[in-house]
Amino acid sequence: DAKTTQPNSMESNEEEPVHLPCNHSTISGTDYIHWYRQLPSQGPEYVIHGLTSNVNNRMASLAIAEDRKSSTLILHRATLRDAAVYYCILRKDYGQNFVFGPGTRLSVLP
Amino acid sequence: ETGVTQTPRHLVMGMTNKKSLKCEQHLGHNAMYWYKQSAKKPLELMFVYNFKEQTENNSVPSRFSPECPNSSHLFLHLHTLQPEDSALYLCASSQDSSTNEKLFFGSGTQLSVL
């Protein structure tokens, strides 16, 4: 199974953009890139996912490199509520199980 | 509110006790999952049910026994646990585990085994 690599932790200032990187150099053509986040004392929640093209939704944007070996989750304006562990996960289209790594712990400073 | 409710939120049990964790989803999903999250470790998938049939048992010890009586309910029966089983147990659901659908998680049950 293809694996992902994320920094252990990152810091951001409130109201500034945050770029969370994820490396997945062994990604295959059928792997979707998923992002989840886990707020304190809660279960993970879906953020965004994509295959090849960049994706936007109300929570975030996902920028996928042209060779697909890396991707970046972009929070356009961080709030204190965005402090969480962010997980980058690869998953095939035909329902392979989600495998969570350690993720990136994002701290947002007021 | 994610549509996935877990009870109890907290549970303390001795090693000889029998207890059960409950999960209920109100999303009309057909797949349900149990994950374990130990302190400072990534989430580990334990069991997967799809249309009430168990499709995954990730080498989980037999002291953990899942039950899925219908697509809306999932239980995890606990018996003769060890202190190292103390963890956050998370339930999740999705439309169908065989497709690329997103997961919806409950808030978890924080289990302490004394």
Side-chain angles (χ1 to χ4, degrees), chain A residues 5-39:
Chain A
T5 304
Q6 299 177 252
N8 290 334
S9 62
M10 290 184 64
E11 267 188 7
S12 171
N13 293 318
E14 197 177 7
E15 298 188 7
E16 291 187 356
V18 183
H19 291 237
L20 295 161
C22 181
N23 288 318
H24 28 78
S25 57
T26 59
I27 192 170
S28 72
T30 55
D31 285 328
Y32 280 75
I33 302 160
H34 291 254
W35 284 83
Y36 281 73
R37 71 179 186 181
Q38 187 171 16
L39 303 172

Side-chain angles (χ1 to χ4, degrees), chain A residues 32 34 36 38 41 43-44 46 87 91-95 97-98 100-102, chain B residues 9 35 37 42-43 45 48 56 90 97-103 105-107:
Chain A
Y32 280 75
H34 291 254
Y36 281 73
Q38 187 171 16
S41 302
Y46 170 82
Y87 300 99
R91 187 173 189 246
K92 298 192 186 300
D93 185 39
Y94 49 81
N97 290 323
F98 282 95
F100 287 78
Chain B
R9 287 297 307 274
Y35 281 85
Q37 188 172 33
L43 277 79
L45 179 65
V48 181
E56 182 90 18
L90 289 158
S97 68
S98 64
T99 62
N100 196 27
E101 301 287 340
K102 56 188 176 185
L103 295 177
F105 282 85
S107 297

Side-chain angles (χ1 to χ4, degrees), chain B residues 50 63 85 93:
Chain B
N50 203 35
R63 58 186 183 270
D85 296 322
S93 72

Side-chain angles (χ1 to χ4, degrees), chain B residues 25 29-33 48-51 92-97:
Chain B
Q25 57 95 0
H29 288 166
N30 297 299
M32 297 189 79
Y33 311 74
V48 181
Y49 278 83
N50 203 35
F51 294 91
S93 72
S94 69
Q95 187 61 47
D96 184 334
S97 68

Side-chain angles (χ1 to χ4, degrees), chain B residues 43-83:
Chain B
L43 277 79
E44 302 171 60
L45 179 65
M46 300 175 72
F47 301 103
V48 181
Y49 278 83
N50 203 35
F51 294 91
K52 300 191 295 179
E53 297 295 321
Q54 187 179 122
T55 58
E56 182 90 18
N57 177 337
N58 199 20
S59 302
V60 180
S62 60
R63 58 186 183 270
F64 295 91
S65 174
E67 180 189 1
C68 188
N70 55 61
S71 293
S72 299
H73 293 87
L74 183 66
F75 295 90
L76 188 63
H77 303 299
L78 314 173
H79 175 52
T80 322
L81 293 193
Q82 305 299 311

